[in-house]
Amino acid sequence: MTTEAAVRTLQNFVDGEWRDADPAGYDDVPNPATGELLARTPLSSAADVEAAVRAAAAAFPAWAATPVVERARLLFRYKALLEERFEELAQIVTRENGKTIADARGEVRRGIEVVEFACGAPTLMMGEMLLDVARGVDCESMRVPLGVVAGITPFNFPMMVPHWMFPVALACGNTFVLKPSERTPLTAVRLTELLMEAGLPAGVLNLVHGAHHAVNALLTHPSVAAVSFVGSQPVAEHVYRTAAASGKRVQALAGAKNHLIVMPDADLDKTVEAIMSSAFGAAGERCLAGSVVVAVGEVADALVERLSAAASAITVGNGADERTEMGPVIRDSARERISGYIERGVSDGARLVCDGRDGAPSGGYFLRPTVFDAVTPEMAIARDEIFGPVLGVVRAPDLDAALGVVNASRFGNAASIFTRSGAAAREFRQRVQAGMLGVNIGVAAPMAYFPFAGHKWSFYGDLHATGKDAVAFYTETKVITSRW
Ligand code: NAD
């Protein structure tokens, strides 16, 4: 175990240097697999936010005036450093978040892919032109950066989610203040060091640790032009309302409750494999995790039997061990909350097929996979985002009824169908109310060139993260009409 004295207290990064925060307090950062204390996060104050925003605002004119090709070249250097440090970054993610090392490597790759996308800024930022909109009059549009952008991120993707934001924002000429999750702040520290190594000028990216105090100071700060947020639904709604009321551009990506429809003609081997990875990958702590299976028609009995057998066979342990298939959840409090949902499922009358409270390893915040059958849509386990390794099976007589179950959800992040029928897949695609759809895919995560497109309670705003939406979000358009 690390001794108290050896535990690092994290610093903020402001105007090109590491500085002690002036915090309201500290949060411990344990390794969720062992409980070992890794660091202490300062819960930065409004004064810390003020210093960071001031540095970002001061750096903005020179950064915005830096030719876009030079900004892109810097990101190419950063991308090369990320490749060099790939394994180190994956290990940091596993250590602070608990997900398996294989999952962490996937996350690092996903983060790098957004940097690759952002390196295309010279093309992505191009405007349009039309000659002779009237006799002798031409019209053209151009994209300009906004100013200071704030990014507020969740614990579950400490590498990927910050990368949805700052590479594109910086490439477009904005400066940035990143407020990472207080529960997984270590990856952001390493990324900041790598950005500096790549040659990012002082003040262009600033890192402020903390929780709601720091967030609220960012949401109302007059020099912050835009806010990118990813986190739970209630906080996303608060961020959207507060920042919009302060006149800011906001995108707030929120919680989820993702449904996986299984048709009677699905290939069951592949379907069960995909559902396992969707429901129990990263211990269910993904916004694209499948958490409700809607079993259509006669497939249900066989499907439940197979899901139960596969879930029971999952190896749970420290994610740093290559053999581990599912790591711990983030904190003991999360384990208690998830266990509370399992109890609630039983008392609401669902049939507990695999009880994840039994047989979990000790020493960290472990649960085993849980599977419920006979779940009905009004139960809490079918409605709420549990954000843990709990899968419920709802039975539906046909596709129409299955779509009714999915569309009754308040959330609309992702949904998938497993089928051999093109007609069923097409009907699903047209009628389902969710933004990221999978056909025979368990985790329908869009690549960096497409938007991360949640609907309903899963997203607040207009322009989504990544893809061309991100470029539009991080730029303002000017339209020039000229006569000479
Ligand atoms: P969270 O909402 O607790 O925290 C997210 C961020 O908000 C953190 O930086 C945190 O410090 C800050 N925060 C927390 N409470 C706050 C408050 N009251 N006021 C102001 N700021 C506050 O989320 P989390 O538990 O870290 O992450 C998990 C959640 O994120 C899940 O709901 C998951 O679905 C969601 N998520 C969504 C997406 C998506 O793309 N839609 C992606 C990843 C995670």
Side-chain angles (χ1 to χ4, degrees), residues 153-156 179 182-183 212 229-232 254-255 287 385 452:
T153 55
F155 79 82
N156 65 326
K179 205 300 287 169
E182 65 278 23
R183 289 184 278 180
H212 58 278
F229 172 87
V230 177
S232 60
C287 69
E385 179 179 49
F452 207 87

Side-chain angles (χ1 to χ4, degrees), residues 29 170 231 283 469:
V29 183
L170 297 182
D469 266 26

Side-chain angles (χ1 to χ4, degrees), residues 152-157 160-161 164 179-183 210-213 215-216 219 229-236 238-239 252-256 285-288 330 385 387 413 436 452 454 458-459:
I152 299 151
T153 55
F155 79 82
N156 65 326
F157 280 102
M160 180 182 76
V161 170
W164 286 352
K179 205 300 287 169
S181 169
E182 65 278 23
R183 289 184 278 180
H212 58 278
H213 290 113
V215 172
N216 291 333
L219 301 182
F229 172 87
V230 177
S232 60
Q233 182 277 326
V235 182
H238 160 70
V239 165
L253 285 71
E285 292 175 330
R286 286 188 191 136
C287 69
L288 293 182
I330 189 71
E385 179 179 49
F387 219 56
N413 219 32
M436 291 169 278
F452 207 87
S458 297
F459 180 72

